[in-house]
Amino acid sequence: MSDYWNNRVKNLSPYIPGEQPKDRRLIKLNTNENPYPPSPKVIEAVKNAADESLRLYPDPECTQFREAAAARYKVKPEQVFAGNGSDEILAFAFGAFFESSQKGYKDAPVLFPDITYSFYPVYANLWDIPYKTVPLRDDFSINIEDYKINSGGIVISNPNAPTGTPLPLDDILSLAEYLEKQKKVLIVDEAYAAFGAQSAVSSIDKYPNLLTVHTLSKSASLAGLRAGFAIGNEKLIEALCRIRDSFNSYTMDRLALAGAKAAVEDVEYYNEINRRVIATRERVTAALRAMGFNVLNSSANFIFIKPPKTSGKDFFAALREKGILARHFNKERIADYLRVSVGTDDDMDKFINVCGEITGEFNANNTK
Ligand SMILES: *Cc1c(COP(=O)(O)O)cnc(C)c1O
């Protein structure tokens, strides 16, 4: 706290990102980065962009990247918004589509699950948007009927994070249809859709209130580049541009634009590495289940696991002690779970072995 802070800053409770350890020896399975490198074409494009043109501002419209994304997803460039990572796009979208509370008057709350990406409540607080969390079922699935109430809009991550649970496209579209009658927006965060969920992109022409949000951080191995995009009706995209241009006209730099364009064009490379991530995920899921772990079915590049007979906190600490970094959320309902990113096959073999060791040690201590 400081006397110099205004009330907005005093009232913020910022998102706490997963640790980026300085210790290189840790096997890093905590922030869902892709274990495989970006496409060689991306590296080449970024290198080629690192020339004297950096003297000049980048294209504020991000035209070439947007055209490449539009071609890939079979939409119009005017239906694509480009941004500095999808977190930024989500922040803009909350500001663009959800009503802030005003003196003496609160709009109906925006809805999202009680267990989901923990940035959503942070954005709502930043913009002073009233929100309500809707409990997932006991099996951590979403019951869409719970969302069919008067609301200010809905945000769904598909697949959900940190559970990895997908929602069928029919359910997403049913929510879009319901909200369309209320003239409210449905934001679908498709950060992990490439790993197995059904994308809603092909329905944006049917639902003018449907915004899908995408990132290159996970499925395109570019967390370090900071690039994302959103796809939706032209009018939704225009609203995002209005927010951006009231904030920073140049959110994507020349290097990021070049790399992002090359990434969305190299479908073949990314299909291959993500197919490997999915295969590893299925293998690790089966191995852990055989060891008595509860592992949710995941459609993402991470798994959500509950170790047998140990608290999530203790298991997290034991993993770290043995050189493996996972993610633990100190939150009701999921405190006994860990989220583990899917790494290379080598890293995951080590992870499975270490899980066996720790479980054995805990068992030994319990029977002493
Ligand atoms: C990682 C993640 C994002 C943000 O990705 P950026 O790196 O900001 O593009 C958005 N939503 C979810 C659910 C995520 O897990």
Side-chain angles (χ1 to χ4, degrees):
M1 279 290 179
S2 157
D3 288 343
Y4 300 115
W5 291 7
N6 68 10
N7 282 327
R8 176 178 295 116
V9 173
K10 284 178 190 159
N11 289 328
L12 292 178
S13 34
Y15 176 77
I16 302 164
E19 184 186 348
Q20 295 296 336
K22 305 281 179 300
D23 183 352
R24 290 266 151 195
R25 281 163 305 181
L26 282 174
I27 294 181
K28 192 174 178 306
L29 305 176
N30 70 329
T31 51
N32 300 341
E33 288 130 335
N34 200 306
Y36 300 109
S39 155
K41 291 177 185 161
V42 170
I43 312 278
E44 198 186 306
V46 172
K47 282 185 180 158
N48 287 339
D51 63 15
E52 59 188 61
S53 69
L54 289 175
R55 186 174 66 78
L56 302 169
Y57 279 110
D59 169 16
E61 306 295 336
C62 309
T63 312
Q64 292 189 7
F65 169 38
R66 282 175 42 237
E67 283 174 357
R72 154 95 178 264
Y73 290 90
K74 301 187 173 61
V75 298
K76 297 183 215 140
E78 304 79 58
Q79 295 172 319
V80 180
F81 179 83
N84 185 345
S86 65
D87 285 339
E88 181 189 79
I89 299 172
L90 288 164
F92 288 174
F94 273 65
F97 306 122
F98 303 145
E99 216 57 77
S100 297
S101 48
Q102 290 153 19
K103 254 205 174 78
Y105 173 76
K106 265 193 201 301
D107 209 42
V110 168
L111 307 177
F112 43 81
D114 61 337
I115 294 160
T116 189
Y117 190 36
S118 37
F119 232 134
Y120 303 152
V122 174
Y123 297 133
N125 282 328
L126 171 67
W127 293 102
D128 202 16
I129 295 162
Y131 69 90
K132 198 176 125 199
T133 58
V134 181
L136 297 178
R137 294 191 184 103
D138 287 342
D139 67 357
F140 296 126
S141 63
I142 288 173
N143 179 1
I144 57 160
E145 298 311 316
D146 295 342
Y147 293 79
K148 293 182 177 172
I149 58 175
N150 187 32
S151 79
I154 298 174
V155 187
I156 298 277
S157 176
N158 193 30
N160 197 12
T163 58
T165 310
L167 193 63
L169 183 58
D170 285 347
D171 283 355
I172 294 279
L173 299 184
S174 166
L175 288 178
E177 184 152 333
Y178 182 86
L179 282 182
E180 214 246 317
K181 292 186 192 114
Q182 301 186 14
K183 295 291 162 240
K184 301 291 185 210
V185 170
L186 171 63
I187 297 177
V188 184
D189 182 347
E190 298 194 348
Y192 302 102
F195 302 100
Q198 294 172 288
S199 171
V201 167
S202 58
S203 299
I204 58 146
D205 282 326
K206 189 159 177 213
Y207 299 100
N209 63 331
L210 172 64
L211 187 78
T212 63
V213 180
H214 311 258
T215 175
L216 299 187
S217 297
K218 282 73 179 232
S219 60
S221 308
L222 288 171
L225 193 76
R226 310 307 302 132
F229 56 98
I231 300 182
N233 179 277
E234 289 87 330
K235 286 292 168 193
L236 298 186
I237 302 307
E238 190 183 336
L240 293 173
C241 293
R242 287 171 72 97
I243 295 269
R244 177 195 62 204
D245 296 337
S246 308
F247 174 78
N248 173 9
S249 308
Y250 307 104
T251 55
M252 290 190 75
D253 62 66
R254 285 175 172 271
L255 306 186
L257 284 170
K261 171 177 181 282
V264 293
E265 285 173 347
D266 199 349
V267 180
E268 204 180 323
Y269 174 85
Y270 285 111
N271 279 350
E272 170 56 24
I273 62 165
N274 291 331
R275 192 192 56 71
R276 276 155 71 182
V277 169
I278 292 169
T280 308
R281 176 188 75 205
E282 296 308 304
R283 187 171 70 79
V284 177
T285 298
L288 291 179
R289 282 179 181 160
M291 289 159 60
F293 285 64
N294 180 21
V295 186
L296 301 193
N297 288 327
S298 170
S299 294
N301 69 337
F302 55 82
I303 50 176
F304 203 50
I305 67 171
K306 185 171 178 291
K309 295 180 215 151
T310 324
S311 78
K313 203 166 159 239
D314 288 349
F315 206 87
F316 171 86
L319 277 175
R320 200 175 203 292
E321 189 76 10
K322 293 178 185 283
I324 294 178
L325 193 54
R327 188 91 191 258
H328 177 248
F329 299 92
N330 207 356
K331 197 178 168 193
E332 232 190 300
R333 290 189 79 189
I334 56 170
D336 276 335
Y337 283 78
L338 297 181
R339 191 193 70 192
V340 180
S341 312
V342 175
T344 60
D345 278 304
D346 272 0
D347 283 350
M348 297 319 277
D349 284 341
K350 288 185 194 128
F351 169 72
I352 292 167
N353 283 337
V354 165
C355 282
E357 283 173 30
I358 298 172
T359 315
E361 285 163 20
F362 276 114
N363 276 340
N365 287 342
N366 283 345
T367 49
K368 258 180 209 156

